[in-house]
Amino acid sequence: MPVDSRPAPRSLALPGSKSITARALFLAAAADGVTTLVRPLRSDDTEGFAEGLVRLGYRVGRTPDTWQVDGRPQGPAVAEADVYCRDGATTARFLPTLAAAGHGTYRFDASPQMRRRPLAPLSRALRDLGVDLRHEEAEGHHPLTVTAAGVEGGEVTLDAGQSSQYLTALLLLGPLTRRGLRIRVTDLVSVPYVEITVAMMREFGVEVAREGDVYVVPPGGYRATTYAIEPDASTASYFFAAAALTPGAEVTVPGLGTGALQGDLGFVDVLRRMGAEVSVGAEATTVRGPSRLHGLTVNMRDISDTMPTLAAIAPFATSPVRIEDVANTRVKECDRLEACAENLRALGAQVATGPDWIEIHPAPALTPTEIKSYGDHRMVMSFAVTGLRVPGISFDDPGCVRKTFPGFHEAFAEFRQGL
């Protein structure tokens, strides 16, 4: 009887979603009552968000599997606070917006990496709503001070072409204003992240309406609830990609199925187009590796956080991989588009880039090198997948994965042993 040499199917329990955890912390802090968050992500970003809430006077009780937050619809419990947002973009953009709904003087600063990332469209919109917001150094960047006196609400115009987080911040603020908000959006990237926000607001008692390019958010506040955090789809992309890169390998991620909130689960559709076998069920998603991966041209505007994952496996496709409409990746933790290109070239791949695209040619025989992370967790986790085919790859800052997945290296090492 022949022996089945295929790798055994794997089922992975992954950490909770960073995006959902951050939104849930804001909603819990703003809600009337005590909210319990089940299986939140515990990472540098989310711990920084929770710490920021505590600095603002909110009570956050943390156990290994749940966090409890005492909501304060009236805003922060302290009249003055100094909040350090670490590297977290959601922390640095959402907390000043939350503080604006209260009464007091609140200063926010962040890491050098986060200080470089843009904030101007959100700052402009908050000022248009009457918020007293002052940037201390470079205009449109941290550090900043909010002198809060509540927010009346009304109409505002927003450019969210650099980051959907600007729109999310205003949507989350809307129910805390006296009149509600009508937000006219002139440009928008990463639409699925906005859909996450709207769906979560509904769970906390607020229904957002959309009239063309205008989002309508009613006043009235949020109600507390118990909210379970689904696994992080961006994190899952590394394991799905690893399976796709390994003929016959199979991985299943429970908790990410047809009802998942996160648009980044759409990454498996890209893998399907490249030849992987993909099954998305009600409660889980499974990817199985094909005998070979095919190249493709793909627009990743809405799932741009998974662009580095695709770039990292692109050299092993049978034809070029061209990723388009990802200009916003240039203003993430680093210029991800150029960082991917530089690292791939160092490995020996032929790569071309433009303002919003990258094209990677087949290069089955790569040379191991030290990957430059630029302090960006996604560079390290993506090129860890490349390491399945290129033994000897190392990283200049492997520890930067603590931002979203502190145990990534251990989890991935265990995972690859079964491939």
Side-chain angles (χ1 to χ4, degrees), residues 45 48 83-89 91-92 95-96 108-111 114 142:
D45 268 15
V83 178
Y84 182 63
C85 300
R86 305 190 192 182
D87 284 337
T91 308
L95 286 186
F108 298 87
D109 200 357
S111 69
M114 188 59 225
H142 279 72

Side-chain angles (χ1 to χ4, degrees), residues 233 236-237 239-241 244 251 253 256 263-280 285-288 300 303 306:
S237 76
F239 297 90
F240 289 141
V251 62
V253 177
L256 287 177
D264 276 2
L265 185 56
F267 179 72
V268 299
D269 294 324
V270 179
L271 296 177
R272 180 188 282 119
R273 289 178 57 192
M274 297 178 77
E277 183 179 326
V278 175
S279 173
V280 182
T285 293
T286 299
V287 171
R288 185 176 178 193
M300 298 189 80
I303 57 170
T306 62

Side-chain angles (χ1 to χ4, degrees), residues 151-229:
V151 181
E152 183 66 21
E155 296 194 12
V156 67
T157 298
L158 175 72
D159 180 346
Q162 284 183 324
S163 173
S164 64
Q165 290 177 1
Y166 306 149
L167 177 55
T168 281
L170 292 181
L171 289 171
L172 293 170
L173 171 66
L176 304 180
T177 66
R178 289 182 276 273
R179 293 168 45 205
L181 288 179
R182 289 180 60 86
I183 309 163
R184 182 175 301 280
V185 181
T186 60
D187 192 16
L188 178 59
V189 71
S190 302
V191 173
Y193 282 96
V194 176
E195 294 171 349
I196 292 174
T197 304
V198 171
M200 292 183 66
M201 290 172 67
R202 186 179 301 118
E203 293 297 312
F204 282 78
V206 174
E207 194 71 43
V208 176
R210 185 171 181 182
E211 302 171 357
D213 294 331
V214 177
Y215 289 80
V216 182
V217 190
Y222 298 102
R223 64 166 182 261
T225 188
T226 296
Y227 193 88
I229 311 296

Side-chain angles (χ1 to χ4, degrees), residues 316-348:
F316 310 109
T318 57
S319 57
V321 171
R322 183 180 172 95
I323 305 169
E324 299 180 335
D325 207 359
V326 287
N328 68 310
T329 64
R330 291 188 178 276
V331 291
K332 297 286 188 175
E333 281 82 344
C334 69
D335 182 338
R336 286 180 177 164
L337 200 149
E338 289 302 329
C340 284
E342 181 180 351
N343 282 311
L344 287 167
R345 289 179 185 128
L347 288 163

